[in-house]
Amino acid sequence: MRARSAARPRANARLSGATKGNRSPAKRVGALQARTREVESWWEGLPARYRIVGATSLAFVICNMDKVNMSVAILPMASEYGWSAGTAGIIQSSFFWGYAVSQLPG
């Protein structure tokens, strides 16, 4: 019991802000923001060309995953909506042309 009662005032002092020089909430928030900036700085510290290459590579991977998913999903979609093989082909073709045209602006 004695160790427990001795530890309790210390915990209460910590919760009330009595440690570390009684910092105000604004100072504690400032310290938290400084630590947050340290965590975010790894991405901001990269040169712009690496960030652009990373974003472009991620977009390329997402587009390819979308193409794969579309070719797999066309079979259940065709059976659900009653599409013929020709209609499913036109839908896949329009998806391909949309993908190809979207590459032109970039």
Side-chain angles (χ1 to χ4, degrees), residues 4 14 20 22 24 32 39 43 48 57 62 65 76 79 88 106:
R4 186 175 217 187
R14 190 174 352 128
K20 296 185 182 177
N22 286 332
S24 68
L32 180 62
V39 171
W43 178 257
S57 299
I62 290 172
M65 287 175 17
S79 65

Side-chain angles (χ1 to χ4, degrees), residues 17-81:
T19 58
K20 296 185 182 177
N22 286 332
R23 292 193 304 188
S24 68
K27 288 182 181 178
R28 283 184 271 178
V29 168
L32 180 62
Q33 287 174 343
R35 282 184 281 177
T36 304
R37 271 186 249 125
E38 290 175 7
V39 171
E40 292 175 350
S41 65
W42 71 270
W43 178 257
E44 293 171 358
L46 289 174
R49 66 177 175 248
Y50 293 138
R51 286 187 274 169
I52 291 172
V53 166
T56 305
S57 299
L58 183 63
F60 181 73
V61 167
I62 290 172
C63 284
N64 281 323
M65 287 175 17
D66 199 20
K67 287 194 305 186
V68 168
N69 288 334
M70 183 64 181
S71 64
V72 171
I74 195 71
L75 298 174
M77 287 171 58
S79 65
E80 182 178 339
Y81 295 115

